[in-house]
Amino acid sequence: MNKSLTKLALGAALLTSSSAALAADYVIDTKGAHAFVNFKIQHLGYSWLYGRFNTFSGDFSYDADKPNESKINVVIDTSSIDSNHAERDKHLRGDDFLNVDEHPKATFKSTDISFSDDTNGKVTGEFTLNGVTKTISFDIEKIGEGDDPWGGYRVGFLGHTQLALKDYNIDYNLGPASTHVDIELSIEGVRK
């Protein structure tokens, strides 16, 4: 191989390894409370009950040039459920609902992420709740990305999904209007 070809091959190898080294890995910003796992469910068909999980963690990878290679992992402490009512939260932690003594964590691990444009995508993955694992898919929206005031780099997404309680062995009768729970995942990540 002549010197020019060797230099070209070496340059291509360095460029490829530099791109790989620039893999955009993020930690979900729960310390700064810039990420949320919220839910709502109808109460008897008369109103909406809102709540959230206060303790969760996770990470994701995202590169705007290769968005379909993204991945996300989230772990939720189910005992951290907070519906702004202590007695109700105690019931939600019990055997009728989340059964947190036996299943203290809910997890989500993506298996596929595909974007239709720069902002909108769909995430598919394995979601485990109450000891049951199901494949779910939901739409996501990229909110934005860029430098933060503290010298870091951030990117944020919003996702929505709806889960049937019976799919996760939650069969407590809340009435016909309350068979599904809406989940909102608002994620802001800080680049590692």
Side-chain angles (χ1 to χ4, degrees):
M1 187 183 273
N2 69 33
K3 287 185 179 182
S4 295
L5 286 177
T6 303
K7 286 180 181 178
L8 184 61
L10 182 58
L14 287 172
L15 184 61
T16 303
S17 66
S18 295
S19 296
L22 293 176
D25 294 321
Y26 295 81
V27 62
I28 296 173
D29 185 12
T30 55
K31 289 182 182 177
H34 295 117
F36 303 89
V37 178
N38 301 323
F39 67 87
K40 70 176 185 176
I41 188 168
Q42 284 203 27
H43 180 247
L44 305 175
Y46 305 136
S47 65
W48 287 99
L49 183 146
Y50 292 85
R52 66 185 188 181
F53 291 92
N54 291 327
T55 305
F56 61 96
S57 62
D59 53 41
F60 63 91
S61 64
Y62 174 77
D63 182 339
D65 293 331
K66 301 174 186 175
N68 293 345
E69 295 179 14
S70 301
K71 296 181 183 342
I72 183 168
N73 296 291
V74 178
V75 178
I76 300 168
D77 176 355
T78 54
S79 70
S80 74
I81 193 166
D82 182 353
S83 68
N84 199 33
H85 189 279
E87 284 302 309
R88 178 173 49 229
D89 293 344
K90 183 178 177 183
H91 188 199
L92 292 173
R93 291 182 190 107
D95 296 347
D96 289 334
F97 293 98
L98 297 176
N99 198 11
V100 301
D101 287 340
E102 285 190 35
H103 307 292
K105 306 286 181 201
T107 61
F108 178 78
K109 182 173 185 172
S110 66
T111 55
D112 182 69
I113 298 179
S114 56
F115 280 81
S116 56
D117 56 36
D118 290 342
T119 303
N120 299 290
K122 183 177 285 290
V123 176
T124 300
E126 300 297 311
F127 180 63
T128 301
L129 176 69
N130 197 27
V132 178
T133 301
K134 298 272 185 188
T135 300
I136 63 171
S137 293
F138 56 94
D139 293 331
I140 58 168
E141 174 190 1
K142 179 182 171 186
I143 305 301
E145 71 176 299
D147 296 327
D148 67 25
W150 308 282
Y153 192 87
R154 295 173 181 254
V155 62
F157 298 90
L158 181 66
H160 293 93
T161 190
Q162 187 178 77
L163 304 174
L165 297 180
K166 66 180 176 127
D167 286 349
Y168 297 91
N169 291 335
I170 301 171
D171 57 8
Y172 190 82
N173 186 4
L174 295 169
S178 306
T179 59
H180 290 70
V181 61
D182 293 339
I183 306 287
E184 178 185 79
L185 190 64
S186 179
I187 295 299
E188 182 176 307
V190 182
R191 189 160 61 192
K192 295 178 183 180

